[in-house]
Amino acid sequence: MRRVRSIAQVRRAVAGWRARGLTVGLVPTMGALHEGHLSLMRRSKRQCDRTVVSIFVNPTQFAANEDLSAYPRPLSADLQACQREDVDLVFTPTVDVIYPAGFEMTVRVGALGELWEGKSRPGHFDGVATVVLKLFTIVAPDMAIFGQKDYQQSVIIRRMVVDLNLPVRIVVAPTVRESDGLALSSRNVYLDGLSREAAIGINQALIWAKSAIRTGVSRPGQLKGKMKRMIEKGGCFSLDYIGFCDPSTLLPLTFARPPLAILIAAKCLTPGPALNRRYIDNVIIN
Ligand code: PAF
């Protein structure tokens, strides 16, 4: 495994592989790697000849009320994890490499970026789309792999690839969970005993809603009350939203009938770091 910091080094490595006819997979991350990220790397390694992992805490996707400086940056543990996964290249640029002096142009996502997460995190998805587009032009991968946990992000990236004619295949890999169902997230380290226990309510609410929908319940209003109680039980979480939406447009549905995506965001209320401790999860019902 090689670690590189400059765009030129990435391009040279990728050009060498391309000259030999090898395919390239990209796993973009912000570090603080966990099993979820590792599953994306394994997927890339299964499907591509070479795998590039980027580790970059992207400042432009943090909203004004979110603490960028508190975001975890365990770089040496992350590099060891990449080494263990035997990825080929790890790209760890500094902010000035990605955003050179005078940087001005960005991707504007539009309406898709203003729904759900976008309401609480203004500008977040513009920042995500901008950095992902940059990574695509730097690495020029055949395939890029994202996790389903950030479902809205994956829908936006797919949209960007279509709208901007980007020659990359997007793969969305299943959410990796703890044995009790909690979705893995870099933010889980901030859950203390009580809130860790309460956090499983988020996934349980999704499982319950999915089975209620399967038995014919179709009014979001009939589902939301119980889901909210499951999430807020114990007083550790406050529900931000439950969205019953079209899996590709993310527009809200009047009836919770498949195909649909159920999106949840809840905020952790127990004392912790200044970091914006939102927890998101989702289920797609086809
Ligand atoms: O999902 C993430 O970790 C980030 O949003 C991403 C895609 C790496 C862009 O910074």
Side-chain angles (χ1 to χ4, degrees):
M1 181 195 90
R2 258 182 84 204
R3 175 201 179 178
V4 297
R5 296 174 176 82
S6 81
I7 293 173
Q9 286 170 308
V10 176
R11 289 199 167 130
R12 262 200 305 278
V14 174
W17 296 331
R18 290 244 171 270
R20 291 159 56 202
L22 302 175
T23 58
V24 180
L26 169 66
V27 180
T29 81
M30 296 214 299
L33 303 177
H34 51 65
E35 267 304 312
H37 297 110
L38 306 188
S39 75
L40 307 182
M41 295 177 202
R42 288 171 199 153
R43 178 75 177 258
S44 172
K45 282 183 60 86
R46 274 202 305 278
Q47 292 188 238
C48 300
D49 300 316
R50 294 289 180 270
T51 292
V52 180
V53 174
S54 62
I55 300 180
F56 178 64
V57 180
N58 173 35
T60 65
Q61 70 188 75
F62 285 74
N65 60 338
E66 296 171 4
D67 191 350
L68 166 67
S69 64
Y71 198 85
R73 290 167 170 83
L75 185 59
S76 58
D78 285 349
L79 292 172
Q80 280 167 26
C82 293
Q83 178 94 60
R84 278 196 301 275
E85 292 306 316
D86 195 26
V87 303
D88 300 280
L89 195 71
V90 183
F91 177 41
T92 60
T94 51
V95 173
D96 57 313
V97 166
I98 297 294
Y99 297 109
F103 170 81
E104 213 172 348
M105 294 197 197
T106 61
V107 177
R108 193 183 60 78
V109 171
L112 251 185
E114 281 154 26
L115 296 162
W116 314 116
E117 277 303 280
K119 278 198 188 131
S120 299
R121 310 184 70 187
H124 168 69
F125 288 115
D126 289 355
V128 170
T130 301
V131 81
V132 170
L133 176 60
K134 279 170 163 284
L135 291 167
F136 286 175
T137 62
I138 293 166
V139 179
D142 298 279
M143 179 188 287
I145 302 103
F146 297 85
Q148 189 195 306
K149 189 176 85 64
D150 294 299
Y151 186 71
Q152 185 172 5
Q153 168 173 285
S154 71
V155 171
I156 287 171
I157 289 164
R158 282 191 195 282
R159 185 78 249 167
M160 175 170 78
V161 164
V162 172
D163 287 359
L164 303 184
N165 311 101
L166 305 175
V168 53
R169 185 150 88 80
I170 302 301
V171 170
V172 178
T175 302
V176 177
R177 299 180 181 279
E178 301 279 6
S179 55
D180 61 6
L182 177 68
L184 292 194
S185 159
S186 308
R187 291 175 182 164
N188 290 359
V189 293
Y190 299 121
L191 294 169
D192 60 15
L194 217 57
S195 52
R196 171 64 189 79
E197 216 170 287
I200 59 173
I202 300 172
N203 182 239
Q204 284 171 349
L206 288 168
I207 293 171
W208 176 79
K210 184 173 175 178
S211 76
I213 289 167
R214 292 269 187 242
T215 63
V217 182
S218 67
R219 294 242 174 228
Q222 294 171 289
L223 299 159
K224 279 184 183 170
K226 175 151 180 183
M227 291 174 78
K228 180 173 160 64
R229 285 194 297 281
M230 291 173 86
I231 292 161
E232 295 187 341
K233 191 174 154 213
C236 293
F237 285 88
S238 154
L239 180 67
D240 184 354
Y241 61 77
I242 299 175
F244 293 86
C245 56
D246 179 288
S248 18
T249 64
L250 299 183
L251 290 173
L253 295 171
T254 315
F255 294 102
R257 288 192 193 122
L260 87 155
I262 311 178
L263 311 180
I264 290 182
K267 203 170 156 80
C268 185
L269 301 173
T270 55
L275 186 75
N276 184 11
R277 288 180 306 142
R278 292 166 61 72
Y279 288 82
I280 58 173
D281 202 350
N282 62 76
V283 68
I284 313 301
I285 310 176
N286 286 302

